[in-house]
Amino acid sequence: MTMMQAAAAAVCAALLAMQFKGQKGEYGIYISIAAGMVICFGILSKLSSILDTIREIGSMIRIEGSYLAILLKMLGITYAAEFASNICRDCGNQTLAVQIELFGKLAVLVLSMPILLALLKTVQAFLT
Amino acid sequence: MSVSLIFKIAAVGILVSVLSQVLKHSGREEQAFLTSLAGLILVLIWIVPYIYDLFETMRNLFSL
């Protein structure tokens, strides 16, 4: 999916969604969700090539595999949470959006705990 | 399938809104509601597997 296709799809979807602003509002939201997902598929295909390069670089330099995997997981969690919360905000329910964002933040926090422990253990090893 | 999904949903939306207007003016309120419900279910049938595919790809990509 090239940039031009994504831009054209977004503009067409926005205009079509405007059409339903009057009486059938929910179809406008369905169209924007569908267009968001079409562009999201394009983003994921681009992202997969970037992630392959990142994994390759990670294998070159002396970095522990699990830290890189955790970083990628955090990226995935934030992206999914952002996508879902913005869709909820589009549909008008703010509480759901905030709930999903909070869940995403906590999920990232949980993921980073082992790294924090490893850091503190290293610092402790230095001090004692 | 991907871009045509947007236009299919738009077509269903236009069809349902026209149909419900016609039914409303001819006095059949319930049929109007039923057609909009049918349109909603049709759109959901298209979109839900698409959402599942998206999150499945995301899961495999980030090895979540």
Side-chain angles (χ1 to χ4, degrees):
Chain A
M1 172 173 257
T2 64
M3 179 60 217
M4 296 308 145
Q5 282 169 336
V11 169
C12 286
L15 294 181
L16 277 173
M18 274 305 293
Q19 172 68 21
F20 293 101
K21 196 67 85 179
Q23 67 276 26
K24 283 280 182 206
E26 68 268 16
Y27 283 97
I29 291 174
Y30 296 152
I31 289 173
S32 62
I33 288 177
M37 285 192 296
V38 166
I39 295 171
C40 198
F41 267 114
I43 287 172
L44 287 184
S45 65
K46 292 254 180 298
L47 213 57
S48 67
S49 54
I50 291 171
L51 290 189
D52 294 343
T53 342
I54 287 178
R55 284 199 182 95
E56 208 176 304
I57 293 170
S59 64
M60 262 187 243
I61 54 175
R62 197 180 54 79
I63 179 171
E64 209 190 304
S66 71
Y67 292 156
L68 200 62
I70 287 178
L71 275 178
L72 294 186
K73 276 197 181 123
M74 283 185 195
L75 187 66
I77 287 175
T78 33
Y79 182 49
E82 189 67 30
F83 188 65
S85 77
N86 282 334
I87 284 183
C88 290
R89 207 166 275 127
D90 270 1
C91 296
N93 27 31
Q94 193 74 15
T95 48
L96 270 181
V98 170
Q99 295 290 329
I100 290 179
E101 271 172 22
L102 192 61
F103 189 89
K105 285 176 188 141
L106 289 183
V108 167
L109 204 59
V110 162
L111 262 178
S112 62
M113 279 307 140
I115 298 182
L116 192 64
L117 282 181
L119 174 69
L120 293 184
K121 281 200 179 68
T122 335
V123 168
Q124 202 181 19
F126 283 153
L127 294 185
T128 54
Chain B
M1 164 58 180
S2 61
V3 189
S4 69
L5 176 68
I6 300 175
F7 300 116
K8 276 196 281 189
I9 292 175
V12 165
I14 291 175
L15 199 66
V16 162
S17 53
V18 165
L19 260 174
S20 63
Q21 287 296 341
V22 165
L23 285 171
K24 243 175 224 140
H25 286 309
S26 67
R28 295 188 189 83
E29 287 295 332
E30 315 78 22
Q31 275 86 356
F33 176 71
L34 285 180
T35 41
S36 59
L37 205 63
L40 166 68
I41 288 169
L42 185 63
V43 168
L44 278 184
I45 285 174
W46 283 334
I47 275 193
V48 164
Y50 208 54
I51 291 181
Y52 178 75
D53 283 350
L54 179 73
F55 284 125
E56 203 54 36
T57 335
M58 211 181 267
R59 209 162 61 88
N60 300 336
L61 186 65
F62 297 112
S63 64
L64 279 174

